[in-house]
Amino acid sequence: PRDRVLEFAERMAGRPIEFGPLRAGPRDSATVTVQGDVRVPQLTDRSDEPVSFDLTLPVSLDITVDVLKANHYRADVEIPLVLTAQAADPLLIVIDVPPPAADDLRLEFKARGMRAATLGVLAGIKKQVLAQVAGVVREELSDSSGRTIDVAARLDSIA
């Protein structure tokens, strides 16, 4: 199962992330645009369970918050996930992944310029980034179709 889980994890690398422009702030006075991508995930075996893995999913985001003037931020987020491969009928492997809480995410956040740094503190942008990323991950994980491996189809393609 490790090879199948690694294949699942590696499919996420390079995946683009884009949303916005979104209206935010008091009276929707700010416009927020986010662009980024998923970098190469890191998969490690969990010693306590033979079909369970720790996955660190690194995501890089360029964030623009436009309030009278564009303010730019760089966010590098590490999303820790626990993946557990489970057998399902007929010849399926389903990867169970509980969604992380915003507090579980690690964030490196950099404002570009003094004005952006001040706005970032006043608007609590770091906290908002963590909440948004956790929400997107939760939404993505709600659909199990991308986490299901059809072993029978793979065996047929090899034969």
Side-chain angles (χ1 to χ4, degrees):
R2 185 183 202 292
D3 292 340
R4 304 282 189 252
V5 172
L6 183 59
E7 181 181 314
F8 159 77
E10 288 177 341
R11 281 194 316 234
M12 292 185 272
R15 195 168 164 192
I17 298 169
E18 293 183 20
F19 58 90
L22 306 170
R23 303 299 293 174
R27 296 182 302 277
D28 288 339
S29 58
T31 303
V32 179
T33 306
V34 177
Q35 294 183 328
D37 60 0
V38 177
R39 296 190 326 249
V40 177
Q42 297 171 343
L43 185 71
T44 55
D45 296 337
R46 293 182 70 116
S47 58
D48 57 341
E49 299 176 45
V51 290
S52 189
F53 308 90
D54 288 316
L55 177 72
T56 302
L57 188 63
V59 175
S60 294
L61 302 171
D62 289 311
I63 303 165
T64 302
V65 179
D66 197 340
V67 183
L68 303 176
K69 180 182 175 191
N71 297 277
H72 300 280
Y73 306 88
R74 172 68 177 204
D76 290 307
V77 185
E78 287 188 353
I79 306 165
L81 300 170
V82 177
L83 284 64
T84 304
Q86 299 178 357
D89 288 330
L91 290 176
L92 296 176
I93 296 174
V94 177
I95 300 171
D96 182 40
V97 187
D103 291 343
D104 296 333
L105 308 180
R106 290 181 293 278
L107 172 68
E108 280 190 40
F109 187 79
K110 295 178 186 158
R112 296 189 184 132
M114 186 57 125
R115 184 178 193 279
T118 303
L119 177 65
V121 171
L122 292 174
I125 292 177
K126 286 182 190 180
K127 187 174 181 178
Q128 291 180 43
V129 167
L130 290 172
Q132 286 293 324
V133 169
V136 168
V137 171
R138 190 172 25 264
E139 186 177 314
E140 287 288 323
L141 292 174
S142 68
D143 178 11
S144 66
S145 65
R147 297 181 285 111
T148 302
I149 301 167
D150 187 340
V151 177
R154 291 179 184 265
L155 290 173
D156 287 345
S157 70
I158 294 171

